[in-house]
Amino acid sequence: MRADRSIAYKLILVITGCSALIFAATIGYSYYHSRMVLERELEENARNQVLASVNRVETILAAIGKVTEGLARSLETFNYTDKSLNTMLMATFAGNNEIYGVCAAFEPDASSGPGSRSFAPYFYRKKGDFLFVPDDTFEYLTQDWYQIPKELGRQEWSEPYFDQGGGDIIMTTCSVPFYEMVGNERRFRGIIATDVSLDGLTDIVGSMKVLKTGYSFLLSRNGTILTHPSKDLIMNESIFSIAESRNIPSLRDIGRKMVHGESGFLPYTDIQGVKSWMYYAPVSLTGWTLAVVFPEHELLAEVHSLTLTLAAMGIAGILLLAVAVVFIAHSITTPLRALSKATEVIAAGNFDAELPSIRSQDEVGVLNQSFIAMRVSLKKYIKELTETTAAKERIQSELKVATDIQASLLPRIFPAFPDRPEFDIYATMDPAKEVGGDFYDFFFIDHDRLCFLIADVADKGVPAALYMMVAKTLLKTEAQRGGSPDEILSAVNNILAADNENCMFVTVFCALMDTRTGEVRFANAGHNPPLLIESQGIRYLALKAGFVLGPVLDSTYETERITLQPGETLFLYTDGVTEAKAPEAELYGEQRLLEALQRGPKEELAEMIQHIRAAVKQHANGAPQSDDVTMVAIKYRGTK
Amino acid sequence: MEALETIMHLSVKPCRLLCLLLLLFNFSTNSAGADQTVLKKASLIPLWYPQAQFAGYYVALEKGIYRNHGIDLKILPGGPDHSPTQLLRSGEADFAVLWLSTALQQYESGEKLINVAQIVQKSSMMLVARKSSGIDTPADMQGKKVGIWGGGLAIPAETFFKKYQLSVREVRQSYTVNLFLRGGIDVASAMWYNEFHTILNSGIDTDELNLFFLHDYGIKFPEDGLYTLAKTYRRDPILVDAFVKASLAGWAYAFANPEETLDIVIRLMNEANLPANRAHQQWMLARMRDLIQPLNSSDSIGELKLSDYEAVGSALQINGVIKTVPGFEDFVRRSDAR
């Protein structure tokens, strides 16, 4: 589900989706279950119907069988003449309307009447009369109705056949062999055969009520179709020939079960291709099979209509549910949308925007109250923020002024002494904050002596700047008195230490250069040693460390000296250079500084210092500057 | 040529011209062979009721093939009450479908008949037993009840029993297989193209049966052939030749158009009030095709081979069915080709 869909959309989708699933599952189960129940009922119903019909058919057939059997036994028991035989044959018609004809067929040798010739008196019904056919040329000896019971020695029902008269009447013959005792031998004498028209039986089968389009059919022992709604199939096709011509092996299997006298209930696709159910059971007396076919669509019509109704109700219900969900969702989202619109106005900065009036105390109501409270708080906060910002801006502007003042204190115009070719001097100071604690200075004490110094006040910012001002003023004042560097530092130290409640201190490297000789006298108060750039190379000056100015009274310093040859340069710097670093990286360090100076330009001091500045910045790799970075370079050129 | 020039002058379209020419040509050949206006009447008696066993003749009649050969043929109704040999003898039928063995038996009894075509080239007769009866070899049939058809149709089976020195209880088998299906006999006679399929389509599977094709046991009796009396042949050999040609053409048509052939056969069966089963007739037609087509592709259809004739003759002699075998030249129609 996409995250930007509306709440109403999500609710409808989830609720109606779930409901539809539940409905579908319920309907599916109901369909399945109803179908099962229906099939069970159908099987029960089909079995009862088929068995009842089979029973009726068998009752009729059994009665005929008994009559035939009785006649055969009579012939075995009684002596009879041709005439009395005819009377006995005629008598079988009485009370047996299904009997179409009756015949006593004698085995040629055994006939007691006309000697050894074949003899078969036959009576049959025709339009209420009984006709006699004394046909003794009739080749009955190889007829199934004669041969089969003779060979099997028991009553047999023949495979149904078309009436010899060429009519459409399908007949079957019940044949019973009869015997005579010759001595101890039971000798076959002939067959009593009664012909039965299948019309009456067909009516019984046809009268079965099998839904609307269902039907029944009767198969012979060979699988031949005896009754079927399709008249073309009757006597022409068997279940096996249909299976063969339509290539349905399963139908052949069903047929084999049928002719083996089994019964069963099974799904069946009939020859029109209609999916159906079939129940079949044997007529055991004749080996026939009675089957009923129920078209599935008709059987399931009620289940289908019930399922359709349920489905329609379900769909209507889901639609109703969807409408309800839309309503609820709307009642939730309308105030939310109003609230959202109002908060957009507030977000744009208009804190006096009207919030919607929501009376309900539900979650949306609570949310609205919270928004009202938030608006009040925001208003208050913004007011305070405005005031604070104004105050901060004032301080900022004051600091800016302080920066300007501090910057103006340091000599910033280069070349600083255009009329003095004996030396070059160049310096920069980049404060870490608006105001810094580093400073440098250079000035002439008299015509030939230049004082230059570099210093670093501990700490940064305003306190350091103020301290620096003091220190710078004191150093310049003391230097102008004309003392040596150690005297200058001692004097300034004593002044600073006298009233140093905050325990602040400053490192200073202070030097005096005689411009005539290049002699530099210097003293150090805890400052980084400067570098000497000679013609042979660059090196750090090894000098006495000295104690920082400020913390302790009466610290002593020592003046050292070095004479610069023309072309040699002194490079002074504060620890902002060597301690510059990127996060997670090493300090810039003295070695890197030395190497940078070796690589960089040496002639023009401004270029040299800019080069170091760039190298330090590159090493810091964008990290904010943590300390003031100050550099002073002085190059002695000598007198002409 | 004059006619052709006239037609050319009419400037008809070439295809129509071709049709006209063909018509002209057709007419001329017909008048040369057999006069269309004067058809010779003749009759044929098949061995049995209408069924695919005789499809070639029915189709030839139906499709006008006999008529095209100048014969107004009537196919007499066959069946158990209509014996082909009797009808041939009495002159009611000019031609009959007979088995070679039956024909030789008739010849022996003094009826001078002639084989004008041997349609079925091999024996399709078989004996069928249920596996459950334990009859697995010919020897197992000793003393068993065996269904045997009447008349000439019994000869191949009896030859078989004599060959294997079997004494069986012969039961006269009717034209159904119900006696076998009900268990009244242990072994049934069956034709491969007919009764065998009936047994299968009564719900018995092939694997439930043991089949004894007489052909496999050396009883190689060619069956259906076309016969006429020697005197008929002497009187009008042209009619006989035309009848044979048309009959063979009928078979060729039947095999080329099986569905149409089955339609014709089924219609005739319905007209005769016979149970008509298309699947069964289809099987029968397919088997007839197997039986009629010559065993060697070099042989022509409808020909009785001397070797087959001699084999049947000597088998019948040995089994005492006939005493003398007539000369092949006397018994077989002298074909124009030879």
Side-chain angles (χ1 to χ4, degrees):
Chain A
M1 197 185 293
R2 277 174 54 188
D4 59 349
R5 298 285 195 203
S6 72
I7 290 176
Y9 176 85
K10 289 176 186 169
L11 278 177
I12 292 170
L13 201 71
V14 171
I15 293 177
T16 55
C18 289
S19 311
L21 272 178
I22 294 165
F23 266 121
T26 313
I27 290 171
Y29 177 76
S30 144
Y31 176 78
Y32 172 79
H33 186 75
S34 314
R35 205 184 147 132
M36 282 292 164
V37 170
L38 220 75
E39 278 170 17
R40 267 203 299 278
E41 267 178 25
L42 174 73
E43 183 178 2
E44 192 63 33
N45 178 23
R47 179 186 293 125
N48 290 340
Q49 277 211 50
V50 168
L51 293 185
S53 295
V54 164
N55 208 15
R56 285 174 67 192
V57 169
E58 283 199 326
T59 308
I60 294 168
L61 295 176
I64 294 163
K66 253 186 204 146
V67 169
T68 315
E69 198 79 44
L71 191 54
R73 299 290 86 79
S74 306
L75 293 185
E76 287 174 355
T77 322
F78 302 114
N79 288 321
Y80 49 86
T81 61
D82 280 3
K83 200 181 168 193
S84 64
L85 176 63
N86 288 350
T87 314
M88 283 166 77
L89 291 175
M90 287 283 283
T92 53
F93 288 109
N96 291 295
N97 292 328
E98 291 80 9
I99 295 178
Y100 173 80
V102 61
C103 177
F106 289 87
E107 188 73 358
D109 286 341
S111 170
S112 59
S116 63
R117 70 186 168 87
S118 51
F119 174 61
Y122 178 58
F123 287 88
Y124 68 98
R125 276 179 209 272
K126 195 168 188 184
K127 292 171 184 165
D129 276 347
F130 301 110
L131 302 183
F132 176 57
V133 188
D135 186 2
D136 46 12
T137 60
F138 186 51
E139 289 190 2
Y140 57 81
L141 295 176
T142 57
Q143 298 284 315
D144 282 346
W145 61 263
Y146 186 86
Q147 238 181 347
I148 296 172
K150 175 188 165 188
E151 294 299 330
L152 296 178
R154 61 164 191 250
Q155 176 184 320
E156 270 295 308
W157 288 84
S158 78
E159 189 67 13
Y161 54 92
F162 274 122
D163 166 33
Q164 288 291 334
D168 287 337
I169 306 166
I170 301 171
M171 311 277 283
T172 181
T173 302
C174 174
S175 315
V176 176
F178 60 95
Y179 304 87
E180 67 178 351
M181 296 302 289
V182 179
N184 285 333
E185 198 193 348
R186 188 161 175 263
R187 192 191 293 165
F188 174 73
R189 277 183 67 197
I191 295 287
I192 296 293
T194 45
D195 296 341
V196 183
S197 160
L198 288 194
D199 280 356
L201 306 180
T202 311
D203 289 347
I204 292 173
V205 173
S207 70
M208 290 171 66
K209 288 267 178 288
V210 199
L211 302 175
K212 273 186 205 133
T213 57
Y215 58 90
S216 57
F217 63 87
L218 190 64
L219 295 186
S220 81
R221 220 161 148 177
N222 289 357
T224 303
I225 292 169
L226 301 179
T227 71
H228 195 280
S230 306
K231 297 272 177 253
D232 286 351
L233 301 180
I234 294 174
M235 293 300 283
N236 287 333
E237 296 285 348
S238 79
I239 192 163
F240 303 108
S241 69
I242 291 169
E244 182 184 324
S245 56
R246 285 163 206 260
N247 196 16
I248 316 170
S250 63
L251 187 61
R252 184 176 171 89
D253 295 340
I254 295 171
R256 278 169 59 82
K257 285 182 179 151
M258 287 174 163
V259 299
H260 286 135
E262 293 177 22
S263 59
F265 181 70
L266 53 115
Y268 165 73
T269 304
D270 85 351
I271 55 172
Q272 270 90 32
V274 180
K275 279 182 85 180
S276 309
W277 283 91
M278 177 167 74
Y279 182 83
Y280 61 91
V283 179
S284 47
L285 202 64
T286 52
W288 301 341
T289 300
L290 178 57
V292 286
V293 176
F294 304 85
E296 195 178 86
H297 65 86
E298 200 180 326
L299 175 69
L300 297 176
E302 246 174 75
V303 181
H304 282 153
S305 81
L306 176 71
T307 307
L308 282 179
T309 312
L310 279 179
M313 285 167 69
I315 289 166
I318 286 165
L319 285 178
L320 202 68
L321 194 67
V323 170
V325 170
V326 168
F327 180 75
I328 293 281
H330 194 68
S331 77
I332 293 170
T333 54
T334 303
L336 275 180
R337 236 176 278 136
L339 200 56
S340 139
K341 207 170 265 174
T343 49
E344 263 170 40
V345 177
I346 292 171
N350 180 7
F351 293 99
D352 298 323
E354 196 62 30
L355 278 167
S357 62
I358 296 168
R359 275 184 220 94
S360 72
Q361 291 301 307
D362 61 10
E363 289 86 341
V364 179
V366 171
L367 183 65
N368 196 40
Q369 291 303 319
S370 306
F371 263 103
I372 291 168
M374 189 181 79
R375 186 180 59 164
V376 171
S377 306
L378 266 178
K379 246 172 132 175
K380 193 175 156 216
Y381 174 73
I382 292 290
K383 195 178 161 221
E384 285 169 5
L385 190 65
T386 314
E387 284 163 5
T388 315
T389 309
K392 198 187 168 194
E393 270 170 6
R394 201 171 55 242
I395 293 166
Q396 284 282 329
S397 68
E398 282 166 7
L399 265 174
K400 181 81 172 72
V401 174
T403 308
D404 291 347
I405 291 170
Q406 194 185 30
S408 69
L409 287 175
L410 302 180
R412 281 184 306 168
I413 298 162
F414 298 102
F417 307 105
D419 54 338
R420 303 297 294 255
E422 308 97 297
F423 69 95
D424 284 343
I425 190 160
Y426 190 83
T428 61
M429 198 274 272
D430 299 314
K433 293 190 175 171
E434 281 80 358
V435 287
D438 283 13
F439 65 93
Y440 63 85
D441 209 353
F442 48 85
F443 46 86
F444 277 99
I445 296 166
D446 51 33
H447 185 267
D448 296 321
R449 280 193 299 164
L450 178 76
C451 176
F452 62 95
L453 57 92
I454 189 164
D456 182 1
V457 179
D459 204 353
K460 293 169 285 283
V462 176
L466 290 174
Y467 201 75
M468 166 257 186
M469 297 282 271
V470 173
K472 182 176 179 285
T473 312
L474 286 173
L475 280 167
K476 191 163 186 175
T477 312
E478 279 302 316
Q480 277 171 342
R481 286 191 189 193
S484 62
D486 60 308
E487 288 162 352
I488 297 167
L489 293 181
S490 298
V492 173
N493 178 54
N494 285 342
I495 296 167
L496 288 173
D499 199 15
N500 192 1
E501 282 168 7
N502 289 328
C503 264
M504 295 193 73
F505 63 89
V506 59
T507 65
V508 182
F509 176 87
C510 178
L512 294 173
M513 184 174 80
D514 189 328
T515 58
R516 290 164 304 184
T517 60
E519 185 199 52
V520 177
R521 288 186 301 143
F522 58 87
N524 190 21
H527 200 81
N528 306 53
L531 288 122
L532 175 64
I533 304 170
E534 302 169 295
S535 54
Q536 298 94 330
I538 300 174
R539 61 183 171 88
Y540 282 96
L541 286 183
L543 42 75
K544 301 234 161 43
F547 196 65
V548 295
L549 304 187
V552 185
L553 273 172
D554 299 328
S555 297
T556 57
Y557 303 91
E558 204 170 317
T559 296
E560 297 175 78
R561 67 184 67 219
I562 180 173
T563 303
L564 297 177
Q565 298 304 315
E568 287 182 347
T569 304
L570 266 180
F571 183 84
L572 283 58
Y573 64 95
T574 59
D575 58 4
V577 175
T578 50
E579 288 169 17
K581 69 182 267 259
E584 319 283 326
E586 287 176 15
L587 299 177
Y588 185 64
E590 293 177 349
Q591 186 57 33
R592 279 200 189 83
L593 176 61
L594 183 69
E595 287 162 6
L597 281 170
Q598 278 169 344
R599 273 198 311 275
K602 297 182 185 72
E603 193 53 36
E604 280 301 316
L605 299 181
E607 283 175 17
M608 177 192 288
I609 285 177
Q610 292 308 329
H611 173 74
I612 301 301
R613 261 170 110 182
V616 169
K617 204 165 238 168
Q618 195 191 354
H619 182 76
N621 196 18
Q625 196 182 325
S626 61
D627 200 356
D628 304 339
V629 173
T630 308
M631 288 173 274
V632 176
I634 186 161
K635 186 181 202 123
Y636 181 64
R637 295 196 183 275
T639 48
K640 301 259 165 72
Chain B
M1 273 318 270
E2 230 177 62
L4 189 65
E5 275 166 13
T6 319
I7 290 163
M8 296 288 275
H9 281 119
L10 287 170
S11 72
V12 287
K13 285 182 179 171
C15 68
R16 196 179 283 175
L17 177 71
L18 193 70
C19 292
L20 279 167
L21 281 171
L22 282 172
L23 264 175
L24 216 66
F25 179 72
N26 207 19
F27 179 75
S28 64
T29 48
N30 268 353
S31 49
D35 197 342
Q36 220 171 10
T37 50
V38 186
L39 293 171
K40 291 178 181 168
K41 283 193 183 296
S43 55
L44 167 70
I45 175 73
L47 260 174
W48 198 247
Y49 294 123
Q51 56 183 1
Q53 186 186 355
F54 314 111
Y57 322 118
Y58 291 117
V59 167
L61 181 62
E62 185 82 17
K63 303 305 291 182
I65 297 172
Y66 286 120
R67 186 165 284 272
N68 284 345
H69 284 78
I71 305 168
D72 177 16
L73 187 79
K74 187 173 192 241
I75 298 180
L76 303 173
D81 303 332
H82 307 277
S83 159
T85 50
Q86 275 175 22
L87 290 170
L88 201 59
R89 197 183 306 141
S90 68
E92 285 172 78
D94 301 308
F95 300 100
V97 180
L98 292 175
W99 283 10
L100 179 57
S101 50
T102 317
L104 284 170
Q105 201 186 26
Q106 287 295 309
Y107 198 95
E108 171 101 351
S109 66
E111 207 56 60
K112 296 298 172 236
L113 34 74
I114 279 185
N115 176 302
V116 296
Q118 185 58 45
I119 303 297
V120 170
Q121 292 295 322
K122 62 184 261 192
S123 166
S124 68
M125 204 189 142
M126 60 201 291
L127 295 172
V128 178
R130 283 177 205 268
K131 276 194 179 149
S132 58
S133 70
I135 298 170
D136 299 326
T137 63
D140 295 331
M141 294 185 198
Q142 182 69 31
K144 298 286 187 189
K145 283 205 268 185
V146 181
I148 300 292
W149 286 311
L153 305 192
I155 298 168
E158 280 166 350
T159 310
F160 174 81
F161 298 135
K162 281 206 176 102
K163 177 168 181 175
Y164 288 92
Q165 298 174 333
L166 298 172
S167 111
V168 299
R169 287 177 56 201
E170 289 190 11
V171 176
R172 178 77 181 280
Q173 186 174 321
S174 71
Y175 55 87
T176 75
V177 285
N178 290 329
L179 186 59
F180 173 72
L181 293 174
R182 302 288 170 265
I185 49 177
D186 302 304
V187 181
S189 295
M191 301 307 288
W192 182 37
Y193 55 77
N194 191 359
E195 284 80 6
F196 173 58
H197 188 255
T198 305
I199 292 170
L200 297 186
N201 268 2
S202 299
I204 296 176
D205 289 345
T206 311
D207 59 17
E208 293 174 305
L209 297 170
N210 280 326
L211 308 178
F212 301 88
F213 283 95
L214 298 192
H215 186 268
D216 296 341
Y217 292 88
I219 320 293
K220 301 181 179 183
F221 287 12
E223 288 158 359
D224 298 13
L226 291 174
Y227 291 86
T228 187
L229 294 179
K231 62 184 180 195
T232 311
Y233 183 50
R234 273 199 304 277
R235 194 176 61 229
D236 194 349
I238 293 169
L239 168 72
V240 174
D241 287 348
F243 172 75
V244 171
K245 258 187 205 155
S247 300
L248 295 179
W251 277 114
Y253 187 92
F255 296 144
N257 304 281
E259 290 306 315
E260 186 186 356
T261 302
L262 290 175
D263 289 342
I264 292 168
V265 170
I266 299 283
R267 202 196 69 229
L268 292 168
M269 293 177 80
N270 285 333
E271 282 170 10
N273 267 330
L274 297 167
N277 184 298
R278 197 179 179 92
H280 186 59
Q281 296 303 320
Q282 194 170 16
W283 165 275
M284 192 180 286
L285 184 62
R287 297 294 79 76
M288 290 313 286
R289 188 192 181 110
D290 297 338
L291 294 167
I292 289 173
Q293 275 173 349
L295 306 176
N296 297 319
S297 51
S298 59
D299 297 334
S300 56
I301 185 171
E303 197 180 307
L304 175 60
K305 285 186 285 302
L306 180 61
S307 55
D308 286 347
Y309 177 73
E310 284 171 344
V312 174
S314 64
L316 294 180
Q317 239 179 342
I318 290 164
N319 293 304
V321 180
I322 56 173
K323 288 193 184 71
T324 54
V325 183
F328 188 62
E329 296 298 313
D330 295 334
F331 187 74
V332 175
R333 173 183 67 117
R334 193 184 296 274
S335 168
D336 290 343
R338 269 177 286 173

